[in-house]
């Protein structure tokens, strides 16, 4: 959509999310669970596809496609817990899932900033990505998430 030169792959994105989770998980959260959620958070996109906030799909349609994709992957791999992890992440059922969701938005915003700073994007991206990440972060008021919310709030102003 943005004509990015050599864009980040899904695997690179998921690795970045996992690395940020390792760096920033508060002691009050289950780091192992956060890492599991980080590693599977976009895995269903293998079959469901990758949708942006600008795609013409309802949250309910996206959720249905991802649940079906997770069930297919679980069946193919014999890893039935995958469905539970995908559901936990998508439904933000736990504080760990909320945290990883924020980290996901942080990673995409950091990547947008990187593309912009390194002239790999055909247009300015940081405003759009930072605004979306901030709107997402505003949904949560849990104290365990405050550090990441603060980073997201200020990332647009970080210099490269």
């Amino acid at each position: 959509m943005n004509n990015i030169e050599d864009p980040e792959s899904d695997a690179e994105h998921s690795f970045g999310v996992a690395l940020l989770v390792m760096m920033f998980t508060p002691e009050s959260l289950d780091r192992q669970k956060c890492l599991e959620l980080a590693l599977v958070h976009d895995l269903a996109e293998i079959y469901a596809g990758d949708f942006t906030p600008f795609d013409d799909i309802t949250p309910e349609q996206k959720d249905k496609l991802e649940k079906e994709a997770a069930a297919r992957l679980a069946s193919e791999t014999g890893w039935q817990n995958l469905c539970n992890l995908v559901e936990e992440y998508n439904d933000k059922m736990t504080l760990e899932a909320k945290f990883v969701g924020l980290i996901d938005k942080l990673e995409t915003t950091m990547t947008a900033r990187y593309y912009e700073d390194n002239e790999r994007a055909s247009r300015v991206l940081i405003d759009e990505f930072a605004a979306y990440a901030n709107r997402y972060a505003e949904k949560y008021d849990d104290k365990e998430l405050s550090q990441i919310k603060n980073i997201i709030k200020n990332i647009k102003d970080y210099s490269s």
Side-chain angles (χ1 to χ4, degrees), residues 104-120:
D104 177 51
K105 301 307 177 259
L106 173 61
E107 195 282 338
T108 58
T109 305
M110 290 171 63
T111 300
R113 180 61 186 248
Y114 172 80
Y115 289 154
E116 196 170 303
D117 288 351
N118 290 279
E119 300 176 359
R120 289 175 52 187

Side-chain angles (χ1 to χ4, degrees), residues 80-123:
Q80 293 308 309
N81 193 43
L82 175 63
C83 293
N84 296 332
L85 290 169
V86 169
E87 182 177 8
E88 179 179 344
Y89 177 77
N90 286 346
D91 294 347
K92 304 300 182 271
M93 296 166 28
T94 61
L95 201 48
E96 284 81 3
K98 292 176 187 178
F99 172 75
V100 175
L102 284 173
I103 292 290
D104 177 51
K105 301 307 177 259
L106 173 61
E107 195 282 338
T108 58
T109 305
M110 290 171 63
T111 300
R113 180 61 186 248
Y114 172 80
Y115 289 154
E116 196 170 303
D117 288 351
N118 290 279
E119 300 176 359
R120 289 175 52 187
S122 61
R123 65 181 185 86

Side-chain angles (χ1 to χ4, degrees), residues 119-137:
E119 300 176 359
R120 289 175 52 187
S122 61
R123 65 181 185 86
V124 172
L125 299 173
I126 192 64
D127 295 334
E128 175 184 321
F129 278 74
Y132 180 74
N134 276 299
R135 283 192 308 275
Y136 182 88

Side-chain angles (χ1 to χ4, degrees), residues 142-154:
D142 309 273
K143 67 179 172 92
E144 295 89 347
L145 307 178
S146 60
Q147 177 188 20
I148 301 306
K149 286 178 62 173
N150 191 48
I151 293 170
I152 289 171
K153 181 179 168 187
N154 294 299

Side-chain angles (χ1 to χ4, degrees), residues 50-62:
D50 188 6
F51 300 101
T52 74
F54 306 104
D55 289 326
D56 188 24
I57 186 169
T58 67
E60 294 79 19
Q61 290 169 319
K62 181 178 183 279

